[in-house]
Amino acid sequence: MTWLITGGAGYIGAHVVRVMAEAGERVVVLDDLSAGVPARLPEGVPLVAGSTLDRALLDRAIAEHGVTGVVHLAARKQVGESVEQPLRYYRENVHGLTVLLEAVVAAGIGSFVFSSSAAVYGTPDVDLVTEDLPCAPINPYGETKLAGEWLVRATGAAHGISTACLRYFNVAGAACPELADTGVYNIVPMMFERITDGLPPRIFGDDYPTPDGTCVRDYIHVADLAEAHLAVARRLAARDGAGDLTVNIGTGHGVSVREMADLIAEVTGRAEPAPEVEPRRAGDPARVVGSVELIAKELDWSARYGVREMVESAWNGWCLRHPEARRG
C-alpha cells in the first residue's frame, strides 16, 4: 500500500504521517500549507503542495506515487469561522472531497479513510454518544462533516471502495513538542495563551446540569488518534471489497472545563489569576462524551493516554514556541 495523506503537514496530519511511516507504511502527503508546516514531516516523506480542489494535481500525485489508499484529513475546521464563511466551508470541505473522490474512483483506489468529527452529533442529550445516534449538526462545520460521511459511504458502495469515517472528539496533546498544535482554537491552547499573557483563563458558563456546572467533554490525545488511523487503515487494506466502518475516537471519559482549568493550573504552575466565568456560548451542549465500545470491538483499539499527559505534552509544545511562558 501507498497512502496519500491529505492535510498531512497539519497538527493531526503530521502525527498520522509519522505513526504510519514509522510502522512501515509508504506515505505521501498532499497539503495546501494554509495551516501545514513542511518541517513536521519525517525525512523522506514526499510532499505535494496543493489543494484537493485541483483535480489535475490529484491525478498526477496519485499516478506518480502509485497511491492505493487515501487518508483524508484536509479541511477547514473552525466552528465560528464556518458560521461566518459557510460557502468557503462547503467549497473546501465538501466540494474538495468530491473532487478527491472522483480522482480516487478514476484511479481505482480501494481504501479511503475520512476524518469526520463528533460535531456531526450536534447537542446530544445522552450520557454516552454512540455511533447509531441520529446526527443533527448545529453549525456549517458539522454539516460539512456529515455531508462528507454521506459522500464517502455512497462512493464506497457504488465503486467497491472500503471506507471508514472517524468521528474525533476533542483532540489535545503532542507526541513531541515539535508536532504541537500551532493554532489557538481549542480549550487547552486558549487557556495557555491567556496564562502566558497574564490573563485569567475563561470558563464559558458554570450553570450547566453537570457536577460542577461547567461543560463536560471527551478529550483524546493526538498520539492515540494517530494510532487509531493506522489501525483503521490496515483494517481497510485487508478488506476485500466495499464496506464502511464508522467509529468514535475518544476515551469514553468526560472532563469538565473546570477540571481542565484546574489541571492546566497545576501543570503550568499558574494558579493565579484564577479562571473567570463568562456567559455561556450559544450552542454549547452540557455534555458530549463518546462511547468507544464499537472501535474496541472492531479493532481491539483503545486510548492509552490520559488528560494529564495531554496537557503536559501540549504545554511542552507551547513553551517551545513561546519560551516566555515558562517562568517561575
Side-chain angles (χ1 to χ4, degrees), residues 108-129:
I109 291 171
S111 300
F112 195 96
V113 180
F114 177 59
S115 165
S116 188
S117 167
V120 300
Y121 294 118
T123 56
D125 186 20
V126 294
D127 286 340
L128 287 177
V129 178

Side-chain angles (χ1 to χ4, degrees), residues 133-256:
L133 191 75
C135 293
I138 60 171
N139 52 65
Y141 168 67
E143 292 166 2
T144 65
K145 286 300 184 180
L146 183 56
E149 290 190 9
W150 294 339
L151 271 171
V152 168
R153 291 193 199 101
T155 303
H159 297 280
I161 302 168
S162 293
T163 61
C165 297
L166 311 186
R167 294 173 174 171
Y168 310 167
F169 282 74
N170 298 65
V171 185
C176 62
E178 293 77 15
L179 295 186
D181 195 357
T182 58
V184 186
Y185 306 110
N186 301 316
I187 183 173
V188 174
M190 287 172 67
M191 287 192 173
F192 287 169
E193 183 177 58
R194 298 279 293 182
I195 287 170
T196 301
D197 292 341
L199 300 172
R202 294 188 177 116
I203 293 176
F204 295 98
D206 64 352
D207 57 350
Y208 288 91
T210 60
D212 65 16
T214 66
C215 292
V216 174
R217 297 290 182 265
D218 189 342
Y219 295 91
I220 177 74
H221 197 298
V222 68
D224 280 328
L225 180 60
E227 292 285 352
H229 280 78
L230 173 64
V232 170
R234 287 183 163 172
R235 163 72 174 270
L236 295 194
R239 282 184 173 181
D240 182 18
D244 177 69
L245 177 68
T246 299
V247 290
N248 294 333
I249 303 184
T251 63
H253 302 291
V255 178
S256 76

